[in-house]
Each structure stands twice: as C-alpha cells, then as structure tokens.
Amino acid sequence: MHKNNRQNRRRVRRGHQQNPWFRQHVSDERCNTVAQQSPQDSGRADDDEAPSTSSGTAGSSSAPDLPGYYFDPEKKRYFRLLPGHNNCNPLTKESIRHKEMESKRLQLLEEEDKQKKKIARMGFNASSLLQKNKLGFLNATSYCRLAHELRVSCMQRKKVQIQSSDPSALASDRFNLILVSGRERPAGARGIAAQVVSSWFYGTNQCLLVNSVCWASLNHLDSHILLCLMGIAETPGCATLLPASLFVSSHPGERPGMLCSFRIPGAWSCAWSLNIQANNCFSTGLSRRVLVTNVVTGHRQSFGTSSDVLAQQFALMAPLLFNGCRSGEIFAIDLRCRNQGKGWKATRLFHDSAVTSVQILQEEQNLMASDMAGTIKLWDLRTTKCIRQYEGHVNEYAYLPLHVHEEEGIVVAVGQDCYTRIWSFHDACLLRTIPSPHPTSKSDIPSVAFSSRLGGFRGAPGLLMAVQQDLYCFSYN
C-alpha cells in the first residue's frame, strides 16, 4: 500500500514538472527567494559575469549582483535577462541602458530649466569673481577668461522659430550639418549667422549625400561653401562650390545654383586654404590619397597615404596641410614639395584610434585633435608631445567634429551619447554638460556650432544646436 502511494506521488510530481505553467511558477519563486537572501549568502556570485547595468542599479539599492539577472529598484525584485531576439521577454541590456539614459536626460533637462545660475567650478560665481578682481588677485586676461566661463555656464536654451513659405519642407528636412561664420559680419540679408546644409543636395537631377562641408573664401572671406558630395548608385561623387548667399533666399522653392563642380569621387573630408602661397586651393581627403586642387588654374597635386584621410585643415602662415587618418596618424604636407620623397611629411603625430577632427590654433604652434576613442588631445607641434587632454568626451565609432574657440577660451564637442560638453581651453576643466532636447538616438546626434557674433555684427556670443527639425540657441545673458 505504501508502495502504491509513493508511485502515485511520483506520477503527480512528474506531471507538474512537464506542465509549462508549473515550471514558470517555480522559476518565479526561485527568483523571489534569491532576492530575499542575505548579502553574505549571495556574495558568492561572480561579479564579473553580472551585466554592467545591473551592477550600477543593484549597487545603489544594496542588492547583490546576480549573473544573468537585473534588479529593478522600483519593483524590488530580480528579472531575468534574455537575448534581444526573444519576443517573450524583451528585457535586454540595451533596453535597460536606454531606459536609464533617458531617465538621466529628462532629469538633467528638468534641473537646467529650474536652475538659472549654474556653477562651472567649485566656489565660482559672479560675486567672488568681482571681489577677486577688485582686490587685485586676477589680472585682466584671467578675469576675462573666467568671465567667459561664467557666461557659458549660465547660457539658457531657447527654441528658434523657423519661418518658411513651404511648411512641408520643414517637416521633411533634417538638420545634419551647421556652419556658423566666425567673421564679424552677417551671413545673409537677414543677418542670419547660421548656414544649414541638408543631408541631401538637390542641385542636380540626382540626389547626392553631403559627406563634408567647410567655408570657402573665393571672392571674400566666407563667400562660398565647399561641399563634398558622396555618389549614390551610378551617380559619381564630386566637390562643389556654392555661393553662401544662395542658402539664405527669400524666394520660395528656390534651390542653390551650382557655381563650379569638380569630379572627385569618394571624398571623406575637405579644407580651404587661406595661405598666400596656396591661394584659391582646396584639399579633399580620399581613400589613401590627398588631392589638392586649384580652383582658378585647375592644377591638381596628389599625395599618396597609407590610410583614409578623415580630417583636414590648412595652416594660415605656412603652406602646410594637416591631415588626420583612420589609422590614428596625423601628418602635415608641405605644399611646396613637388615630389613625394622622404621629407614631404613635415610633422607626424599619433592617436590610438581614427582621427575625426583636427584644429590648428591661431599661433600655429599647437594642434588639437579628437578620435573615435573619445580622446581629445592638445599637441605641441614643436616638440610633437601632448601637453593637455580633455576628459569626458564619448565616442566609439562615429564621425564627430570638434570646435575650438580661443577667443572665448572654450572647447565644444558633441559625444555619441548625444551630450554636448564644453571645456575650458586653458586648463581642460569641464565647464558644462548639455543634454539633448530630444531622446537619445544614434541617428539623432545633435549638430552644434559656436559663434562670437551670433546673428550679425552686433550679435552676442552663443551656441547653436540642431536636432532633427528643431533649432535651439544658447546665448549669453
């Protein structure tokens, strides 16, 4: 009789185990039981196997880390992490990380709207700055620099209302590149200092993707815009010069006309020369090649490289062209060299990742560069050594520009996490971190540009930020 009872219990237990609802119920009970264990018992779990998202959240709620599980502080229980392709449980590391980033972004936006006065440094405000200046603790240069930093930290976000006779164009077009004239003159008849270039250019019957853009000074300073257009399908790429005045048009539906075009397929970068010895010349960085073209004579000079050239800039005093490569190398080309012997590379610097932006400073003794590893370095061109590094920039693989403004004493860069960071140029102190007004996305990284004369000759310094179809202004108070 006892033997028959044991066999019946085994059959019932075996039937429960084969039931999927029973297995799920037991799994949930085990998860709840593990969540109630003491830290000493659950501390045996290997911390290296736990996901990074669970470590930060669980650590803040004093809950132990468990490999393959995520602790929700709101529901106070563990949830199992499954692969992203599993439709039954969409809880993945990426979704948790995106949710945490979005929560942080909304919190920072709320703090910025409430807090009118922001502090860039500890114990740094307007009253202490004025008091130190009156007591003679600061000279004129230091006082102006710190005053600029204080204004940067107090900039407030304002949305710019864009007026257009074609509302459908505003709904479809997106801001992808922004150019702001650094000259003390309005960039158009209406005094608009921003020149916006859409990702698609309709100058011809075919659609071409804008890969790079820079100012060109053909008739006068910043008179034209140089565009490097990447070919799509059977359409070849080219470099095109357009008058800057055509981008600010009062006629509805008018498209900018083409001034002159050069067939240069596959250009990654472009730069315009203001040096007297290389007048009316522009350079394009290609795949393992640098091509320097004279607009007037049509003469071309080609230099072979060992890697793709992603960033370029001409020096003003000397006929040098600085190039940043995908391999991490930064080198200068002396345009006076007619052959590619051993001495055609004037300067060589090295980063650990692909260089996305190079900026030559005014005295042309220093160069600042950023790469795809999120590293921003200030180099001394005389000693070829790094003298300063700016921490906090986020980049993994994106092609992101770098903006340096020595007059204001700031360095501006947008990270792949969609945060705009502003550093002090002189001591690499992070002055401010501006969250994106839109939800963070890899395809919606903000485009920014800083101008010392925003809106014209009498304009105040400020920062322009464009995300999707919206344009925002951060101006000095």
Side-chain angles (χ1 to χ4, degrees):
M1 180 175 178
H2 295 286
K3 183 177 181 180
N4 294 332
N5 292 335
R6 285 196 299 268
Q7 292 179 354
N8 293 333
R9 284 197 296 268
R10 289 176 183 175
R11 292 193 189 99
V12 173
R13 189 182 301 109
R14 189 180 300 111
H16 285 320
Q17 292 176 356
Q18 293 177 357
N19 190 351
W21 178 88
F22 179 79
R23 291 199 303 266
Q24 181 66 26
H25 183 68
V26 173
S27 177
D28 293 339
E29 288 183 353
R30 290 178 180 177
C31 293
N32 294 332
T33 304
V34 170
Q36 297 175 358
Q37 288 181 352
S38 61
Q40 291 81 5
D41 297 336
S42 57
R44 302 174 184 176
D46 190 3
D47 295 340
D48 296 335
E49 296 180 1
S52 58
T53 54
S54 64
S55 63
T57 309
S60 60
S61 59
S62 67
D65 298 338
L66 296 179
Y69 287 89
Y70 162 72
F71 182 80
D72 194 332
E74 297 179 357
K75 298 182 179 180
K76 296 182 179 180
R77 60 167 295 182
Y78 284 88
F79 291 92
R80 187 177 181 182
L81 292 175
L82 296 179
H85 62 272
N86 192 301
N87 296 326
C88 298
N89 188 359
L91 190 63
T92 60
K93 297 180 182 179
E94 290 76 13
S95 62
I96 295 172
R97 183 172 179 269
H98 182 75
K99 182 180 179 181
E100 292 178 352
M101 290 179 61
E102 184 64 17
S103 176
K104 179 182 178 182
R105 186 189 67 87
L106 294 176
Q107 183 180 359
L108 290 177
L109 283 177
E110 185 178 358
E111 292 178 357
E112 281 207 341
D113 294 337
K114 292 181 179 179
Q115 186 179 3
K116 295 182 178 180
K117 294 183 179 180
K118 303 174 182 61
I119 300 176
R121 304 171 186 265
M122 294 299 296
F124 179 66
N125 50 45
S127 58
S128 63
L129 184 62
L130 291 174
Q131 185 177 4
K132 291 181 180 180
N133 184 37
K134 291 180 180 179
L135 296 176
F137 294 151
L138 296 174
N139 53 24
T141 304
S142 301
Y143 176 75
C144 293
R145 176 171 59 86
L146 294 176
H148 282 309
E149 292 184 3
L150 184 61
R151 292 176 180 175
V152 167
S153 62
C154 295
M155 292 189 305
Q156 295 183 0
R157 182 183 70 256
K158 296 180 181 179
K159 188 174 182 179
V160 179
Q161 298 296 331
I162 304 175
Q163 298 179 357
S164 176
S165 57
D166 189 5
S168 61
L170 293 177
S172 59
D173 292 343
R174 297 162 58 93
F175 291 102
N176 291 279
L177 298 171
I178 294 184
L179 285 180
V180 174
S181 176
R183 317 300 173 188
E184 296 182 358
R185 66 166 63 90
R190 300 180 182 177
I192 300 176
Q195 297 289 347
V196 183
V197 182
S198 177
S199 61
W200 300 98
F201 175 68
Y202 298 90
T204 60
N205 294 330
Q206 300 290 336
C207 292
L208 300 175
L209 181 65
V210 177
N211 204 21
S212 181
V213 60
C214 70
W215 289 106
S217 303
L218 190 59
N219 300 333
H220 53 79
L221 290 177
D222 299 344
S223 62
H224 292 74
I225 292 179
L226 177 63
L227 298 172
C228 284
L229 305 175
M230 180 70 71
I232 298 178
E234 298 179 355
T235 306
C238 63
T240 304
L241 275 172
L242 294 176
S245 58
L246 294 181
F247 281 87
V248 185
S249 176
S250 58
H251 300 283
E254 180 180 349
R255 294 292 181 181
M258 195 177 301
L259 176 67
C260 57
S261 181
F262 303 87
R263 186 172 180 179
I264 305 176
W268 285 98
S269 58
C270 62
W272 183 269
S273 175
L274 294 176
N275 185 267
I276 301 176
Q277 302 182 31
N279 195 18
N280 295 327
C281 289
F282 72 91
S283 175
T284 50
L286 310 174
S287 177
R288 298 186 178 183
R289 189 160 59 100
V290 176
L291 187 62
V292 181
T293 306
N294 190 296
V295 178
V296 179
T297 62
H299 175 72
R300 290 187 176 182
Q301 193 174 0
S302 180
F303 298 88
T305 62
S306 59
S307 180
D308 301 338
V309 179
L310 303 181
Q312 291 181 310
Q313 188 178 6
F314 281 94
L316 180 62
M317 301 179 185
L320 297 176
L321 172 63
F322 288 85
N323 305 268
C325 298
R326 190 184 297 275
S327 62
E329 181 186 8
I330 302 174
F331 63 90
I333 297 176
D334 193 341
L335 301 178
R336 294 168 294 187
C337 297
R338 298 300 177 184
N339 54 3
Q340 297 188 20
K342 295 182 179 180
W344 70 281
K345 288 187 177 181
T347 305
R348 299 186 68 183
L349 309 171
F350 295 94
H351 276 236
D352 296 332
S353 183
V355 178
T356 60
S357 180
V358 291
Q359 297 289 332
I360 306 173
L361 304 188
Q362 291 180 355
E363 297 181 357
E364 299 186 2
Q365 297 179 357
N366 298 321
L367 179 141
M368 187 172 292
S370 62
D371 57 27
M372 288 189 180
T375 304
I376 301 177
K377 292 184 179 181
L378 179 62
W379 293 89
D380 190 338
L381 297 177
R382 296 165 294 181
T383 61
T384 64
K385 293 183 179 180
C386 177
I387 58 178
R388 197 172 300 140
Q389 188 165 337
Y390 300 79
E391 303 292 342
H393 184 50
V394 178
N395 192 7
E396 295 178 356
Y397 55 83
Y399 188 83
L400 301 176
L402 177 67
H403 308 276
V404 184
H405 302 275
E406 292 185 76
E407 298 85 357
E408 306 297 328
I410 60 174
V411 178
V412 184
V414 181
Q416 200 172 354
D417 56 352
C418 299
Y419 283 86
T420 303
R421 293 174 175 85
I422 304 177
W423 295 268
S424 172
F425 170 76
H426 300 277
D427 57 4
C429 176
L430 183 60
L431 302 178
R432 187 172 178 181
T433 301
I434 303 176
S436 174
H438 288 255
T440 57
S441 173
K442 296 180 180 179
S443 59
D444 294 328
I445 298 178
S447 299
V448 300
F450 192 91
S451 175
S452 57
R453 294 289 186 269
L454 193 62
F457 179 75
R458 297 182 179 180
L463 179 73
L464 282 178
M465 176 186 294
V467 188
Q468 296 183 2
Q469 293 88 9
D470 297 332
L471 185 63
Y472 300 88
C473 176
F474 296 79
S475 60
Y476 285 4
N477 294 329

